[in-house]
Amino acid sequence: AVVSTQSTGDPIVANPIILCFNSPVIKYLVTDLHQNSLEADDFSRDAVDRFIETCYTGKLDTETMAIEPFRDVYKMSHAFKVDWLKKKSEMFFSNYVDTTFNERCDFFRFSVCSGAGIISTGNSKRRQFSQSCYQHC
């Protein structure tokens, strides 16, 4: 199968058997509708490359994946009904959010602790707000 993207216009050649094995949607397009090419204009070239690579290897490379191509890979896994990839993408995103949230909470804790002297001398509403935020991180 040939997959093309609007971003570069260069075709990506992929084995249709491997794509069909992973995606019932692609299987339907190739076997029932006899399409030998797919347009992936809604997705970045990087995301399409990663999607195809993941279908070939069965592994989602989370070590080098940035959040931008991840979004498109997730959308592709949803659109083409690649359920195992969708689950792996959701796990990646969950870990990404947890890590990002924890890093921001650590910064917030540092800020609250650093400003504790200032906050403690302020009015009680500011103190209650900062204590509440600190407890929820």
Side-chain angles (χ1 to χ4, degrees), residues 57-111:
T57 64
K59 296 178 183 174
L60 180 62
D61 181 12
T62 58
E63 297 296 317
T64 62
M65 187 173 297
I67 197 66
E68 289 307 317
F70 159 76
R71 288 183 182 134
D72 279 351
V73 169
Y74 178 77
K75 288 178 194 175
M76 291 178 77
S77 69
H78 182 74
F80 294 117
K81 296 185 180 181
V82 183
D83 293 335
W84 66 267
L85 178 54
K86 187 177 174 187
K87 288 177 186 173
K88 285 188 177 197
S89 297
E90 288 167 353
M91 288 174 45
F92 169 76
F93 184 69
S94 178
N95 290 337
Y96 176 83
V97 168
D98 287 346
T99 301
T100 303
F101 181 75
N102 287 335
E103 289 171 0
R104 289 190 177 149
C105 278
D106 288 343
F107 177 75
F108 181 74
R109 284 187 191 115
F110 172 77
S111 300

Side-chain angles (χ1 to χ4, degrees), residues 11-65:
I12 305 164
V13 179
N15 186 325
I17 295 170
I18 292 173
L19 297 180
C20 290
F21 177 76
N22 286 281
S23 167
V25 174
I26 294 174
K27 182 178 180 181
Y28 172 75
L29 293 171
V30 171
T31 59
D32 293 352
L33 300 181
H34 305 290
Q35 291 186 2
N36 60 0
S37 66
L38 303 169
E39 291 183 16
D41 293 341
D42 294 339
F43 310 107
S44 69
R45 170 66 189 246
D46 186 27
V48 173
D49 286 339
R50 287 177 183 270
F51 177 81
I52 292 171
E53 176 186 341
T54 301
C55 286
Y56 271 73
T57 64
K59 296 178 183 174
L60 180 62
D61 181 12
T62 58
E63 297 296 317
T64 62
M65 187 173 297

